[in-house]
Amino acid sequence: MVWSKLGKLVYSVSHEQLAEIAGSNIMIPCKEVFERSPHQTIVVGELLNEEGLKAFDGYSFV
């Protein structure tokens, strides 16, 4: 997404929340990746967070 120069990213589940679900498999938050990019993408987070978390109900990543 960084290389495509995405103008805006909207996500539901935060890095911290996903790390709790998936364990240590999630290494770096997307917001940090975009902050380090030369192209500045607008990042809007945790939109419809409760609904997003429901998508992971019953998933076991570890």
Side-chain angles (χ1 to χ4, degrees):
M1 289 187 283
V2 171
W3 295 332
S4 69
K5 297 183 180 178
L6 189 67
K8 185 175 188 178
L9 171 74
V10 180
Y11 66 91
S12 176
V13 180
S14 74
H15 173 259
E16 292 79 16
Q17 291 171 317
L18 192 55
E20 283 183 34
I21 296 166
S24 62
N25 295 327
I26 307 300
M27 304 303 274
I28 184 169
C30 67
K31 193 170 188 174
E32 186 175 337
V33 172
F34 282 115
E35 285 173 356
R36 294 179 183 199
S37 168
H39 175 74
Q40 294 304 302
T41 299
I42 298 167
V43 179
V44 178
E46 298 188 40
L47 185 66
L48 299 172
N49 185 252
E50 289 181 33
E51 291 83 349
L53 286 170
K54 288 178 186 176
F56 294 100
D57 282 349
Y59 277 62
S60 176
F61 294 96
V62 285

